[in-house]
Amino acid sequence: REEGNANESLWTVLQNPNQKNMSLPQRLWNYLQNMKDKTGDMENKLQLLTKRSYASNTDVVTQTSVFRPPTLQDLNQIQVPFVEGYWVAPPFRIAVLVGSFFAFAPLANALKTILEIDKREFDIISGQFAPTVGILYGTFVALTLEILYERLGSIQYDGTTEAALLANTAQNVLNFFRGYDNEARKAYQSIADQVRILSGESRGAEMIAMIQEDPYSNLLQLVSKHEKRLESKGKLNPAKSALFQALCSDIPSLMAMRSKRLSDEAAKLPPTHYLVLVLLTGLNVVGFSLATLNITNEDGNPPFEACLVFASLMAIFTLCYNFCRDLNDPFTGVYQIKRSTGSAYLYQIKWLVGQETNFGHTIRFDDWASSEETQRDDARDALLSKYRPYEQELTLDQLESRRQKKRRRIHESQSKAATTEFLQSWDLSTTGTDNNNSKKSMEKKEITTAAASSSSASNSSPTSNNNIQAIKEDDTSPSVTSSSSKSATASNNSNSSGGGSGGSSLSLHSQTTDSIRRSKGNRKSISYEYFRRTSGFQ
């Protein structure tokens, strides 16, 4: 928006007089103020926001041409608008010749009326004045053209060299980050941002990018982090190490070339320089007019030959002035930098990313990365700290997919285990009381048989009777049927005289049996509760 306001033309102001809720006089006043600031000797924001481009046309930053092979047609330079190249058009030059031809006679008569001086003194003054002014004018014009030509060539060289280094860096970046698509995408997006800056953004936009988020600094940081990651994994082979050294050498060279290019762009001649040029041109015109005051025809007017020479001089002076003004801006007008070589390197960068099938479609040349993409990158970087190092080259979608699969796998295994354990406990508790009571009665029979055999070899004791009574009380639970109670009672009656050494072993056996039964009951309740919570079973 600020670039649009800074580069707004008078025609745009007249076409949209009611824009921004301002009247036409207010907009005209703002336009004049902007023009005053843009043409001042001091550098300001409006001068920094002047448009410039190191590409032949705007197709370099068109997103639709990423996957299209470049052609020589893409290197064609855009035609110069008539407003910028009017001074070389034949109608303008003819108008200057004709106007100067007919304006010389009134100018000579006006000077003759003003200057009333002796002819001998006039010849002395005009003979010394005209050559001196001519020498000053020629020297000043030669100095101006030398400065402007040197600046034009330096800017063209800097832009082409930076584009060539950037293309070489882009190739090395693709090889260095091979196999790590996410890091390669970030690194190549930094290169794409610099391509967009070179292709059409102003010097002010580039400086803001340098201050806030420098593409070259971001690229160097990504390269350093990736080198450390490869070294920690033991994957930094000699080829990767050579690429790392090349990138560490090329990126600082790009920064140095950019600073030189920006410095050359800032070395613009101030408006005061052209004011001096205009004054010297006016003095030359006056000197020639004074030299021809004594040459008049019968009507008192300058001869036809004098008018023709004056018209030719005025055409040359006008051409030299416009030529110097046009050279002062190497990005607009007739005399611009040649962009075909630099554009070829920029198209090479764009074509390289077009060949990448993994992340080529995600690189943006036409605009900065959206805030949503930046947030996704930040979220991915936050997730990387929670994963193993070998997963750091995965994209955010892959990380999320792996995370969901891991959760689903854990949930399925836990649900399966809980379901199996619950079904087993369910079978044990609901198969039928007959089976459970028969199993318990068989256990009781085995215990009482062992107690009877041991009591037959020893005397009876109160300890054995107490143990048998504990087993008998345990059998009175609600889950025990009358048949099992009867078998336990019969066993108790048959072994009422048992005792001796078998009492202690029988007591230990009964305690173990009770603990097993209690642990089975706890496992059933815990398994059922876990299964109910995880699987939604009611």
Side-chain angles (χ1 to χ4, degrees):
R1 183 178 58 83
E2 291 183 351
E3 288 184 0
N5 295 336
N7 296 282
E8 191 176 31
S9 62
L10 180 61
W11 178 248
T12 306
V13 175
L14 296 176
Q15 278 183 328
N16 303 311
N18 296 324
Q19 191 176 0
K20 299 179 182 178
N21 299 324
M22 291 191 298
S23 62
L24 181 59
Q26 290 177 336
R27 297 208 67 202
L28 288 174
W29 176 255
N30 292 337
Y31 172 76
L32 294 177
Q33 287 294 118
N34 291 342
M35 292 299 297
K36 179 182 177 181
D37 295 337
K38 288 177 67 175
T39 56
D41 293 336
M42 306 302 294
E43 193 174 39
N44 52 36
K45 182 180 73 172
L46 294 177
Q47 293 181 0
L48 293 177
L49 293 176
T50 304
K51 290 184 178 180
R52 44 125 217 217
S53 176
Y54 287 91
S56 298
N57 51 65
T58 58
D59 190 61
V60 178
V61 294
T62 304
Q63 194 67 20
T64 56
S65 62
V66 174
F67 303 99
R68 178 179 60 82
T71 60
L72 287 178
Q73 191 75 16
D74 297 327
L75 303 180
N76 291 343
Q77 191 170 347
I78 300 176
Q79 293 295 327
V80 179
F82 178 77
V83 179
E84 299 177 2
Y86 68 92
W87 57 275
V88 295
F92 178 79
R93 288 180 287 181
I94 293 174
V96 171
L97 284 170
V98 174
S100 301
F101 181 84
F102 290 104
F104 181 63
L107 178 62
N109 293 329
L111 290 175
K112 188 183 294 186
T113 303
I114 296 173
L115 298 175
E116 294 182 359
I117 191 172
D118 185 67
K119 181 179 179 181
R120 185 176 60 83
E121 294 178 356
F122 178 77
D123 290 339
I124 294 173
I125 293 174
S126 62
Q128 294 179 354
F129 177 76
T132 304
V133 173
I135 292 173
L136 286 175
Y137 178 80
T139 304
F140 195 78
V141 169
L143 179 63
T144 302
L145 293 178
E146 181 182 1
I147 294 173
L148 293 176
Y149 265 118
E150 184 179 357
R151 175 173 176 261
L152 180 70
S154 180
I155 291 176
Q156 180 174 333
Y157 174 78
D158 296 341
T160 304
T161 305
E162 184 176 359
L165 283 174
L166 192 60
N168 184 41
T169 303
Q171 184 65 59
N172 290 337
V173 163
L174 290 179
N175 294 329
F176 184 67
F177 289 97
R178 187 73 65 186
Y180 299 86
D181 293 341
N182 190 68
E183 283 74 11
R185 182 184 61 81
K186 288 184 179 180
Y188 215 95
Q189 185 60 56
S190 300
I191 297 176
D193 293 339
Q194 186 63 27
V195 169
R196 182 177 55 258
I197 289 173
L198 293 175
S199 299
E201 294 195 356
S202 62
R203 188 158 57 100
E206 184 172 7
M207 289 183 176
I208 286 295
M210 289 171 53
I211 296 171
Q212 296 180 354
E213 193 172 354
D214 186 10
Y216 291 150
S217 299
N218 292 341
L219 181 60
L220 186 60
Q221 185 178 8
L222 290 171
V223 169
S224 300
K225 287 184 178 179
H226 189 65
E227 188 269 341
K228 292 180 180 178
R229 185 179 298 114
L230 291 178
E231 187 177 4
S232 63
K233 294 179 180 180
K235 297 182 179 180
L236 189 63
N237 52 32
K240 295 287 187 180
S241 180
L243 289 172
F244 174 72
Q245 296 296 331
L247 289 172
C248 289
S249 175
D250 290 342
I251 296 176
S253 300
L254 284 170
M255 293 181 177
M257 190 58 63
R258 179 182 60 184
S259 63
K260 185 176 182 301
R261 172 176 56 80
L262 293 175
S263 178
D264 291 336
E265 291 178 9
K268 192 176 183 179
L269 292 179
T272 305
H273 187 95
Y274 292 94
L275 177 62
V276 176
L277 184 61
V278 170
L279 293 176
L280 290 176
T281 302
L283 290 176
N284 267 311
V285 171
V286 172
F288 178 81
S289 301
L290 292 175
T292 58
L293 288 180
N294 295 327
I295 305 174
T296 58
N297 54 16
E298 298 175 354
D299 299 333
N301 294 324
F304 175 80
E305 292 80 4
C307 293
L308 187 61
V309 172
F310 179 80
S312 301
L313 287 175
M314 286 299 298
I316 292 175
F317 290 155
T318 305
L319 187 65
C320 288
Y321 175 79
N322 288 318
F323 180 63
C324 294
R325 288 295 300 267
D326 193 84
L327 279 176
N328 200 30
D329 191 354
F331 302 103
T332 59
V334 178
Y335 289 91
Q336 303 181 20
I337 59 174
K338 302 302 179 182
R339 302 177 174 89
S340 57
T341 306
S343 297
Y345 286 115
L346 296 180
Y347 272 107
Q348 179 186 357
I349 296 172
K350 197 172 183 180
W351 179 242
L352 284 175
V353 72
Q355 304 303 308
E356 292 295 329
T357 58
N358 295 332
F359 63 89
H361 62 282
T362 62
I363 303 300
R364 305 294 302 181
F365 285 89
D366 54 350
D367 197 3
W368 296 94
S370 63
S371 58
E372 182 180 355
E373 294 175 354
T374 305
Q375 291 176 2
R376 286 177 61 84
D377 293 341
D378 295 340
R380 181 192 176 279
D381 294 338
L383 285 174
L384 286 179
S385 59
K386 300 180 181 180
Y387 285 83
R388 292 181 290 275
Y390 71 88
E391 293 180 338
Q392 292 186 357
E393 62 269 14
L394 299 177
T395 62
L396 181 61
D397 294 336
Q398 291 173 339
L399 286 173
E400 290 291 344
S401 177
R402 178 167 293 191
R403 190 177 180 185
Q404 295 295 334
K405 288 181 179 178
K406 185 176 181 180
R407 287 180 175 177
R408 193 181 304 111
R409 189 165 54 250
I410 294 174
H411 180 74
E412 289 178 354
S413 61
Q414 292 177 349
S415 299
K416 184 177 180 180
T419 304
T420 304
E421 189 172 359
F422 173 75
L423 291 177
Q424 291 177 357
S425 62
W426 182 269
D427 292 338
L428 290 175
S429 60
T430 61
T431 306
T433 55
D434 296 336
N435 295 334
N436 293 334
N437 293 332
S438 62
K439 291 180 181 179
K440 291 183 179 181
S441 60
M442 291 177 65
E443 286 185 6
K444 305 297 187 299
K445 289 179 180 181
E446 292 178 359
I447 295 173
T448 53
T449 303
S453 60
S454 61
S455 62
S456 60
S458 60
N459 296 325
S460 61
S461 65
T463 305
S464 60
N465 294 331
N466 293 334
N467 292 335
I468 296 300
Q469 184 64 27
I471 296 175
K472 182 178 179 180
E473 292 175 356
D474 183 74
D475 292 337
T476 60
S477 60
S479 62
V480 180
T481 59
S482 59
S483 59
S484 59
S485 300
K486 292 178 181 179
S487 60
T489 306
S491 299
N492 188 20
N493 294 332
S494 62
N495 295 288
S496 58
S497 60
S501 62
S504 60
S505 61
L506 184 59
S507 176
L508 179 62
H509 194 178
S510 63
Q511 293 177 4
T512 305
T513 305
D514 293 339
S515 62
I516 290 173
R517 291 172 182 172
R518 285 194 298 270
S519 63
K520 284 184 178 181
N522 293 334
R523 285 201 303 272
K524 289 178 184 179
S525 59
I526 294 173
S527 300
Y528 173 74
E529 182 67 17
Y530 180 82
F531 174 75
R532 186 180 64 80
R533 291 184 179 181
T534 56
S535 61
F537 179 80
Q538 299 296 333

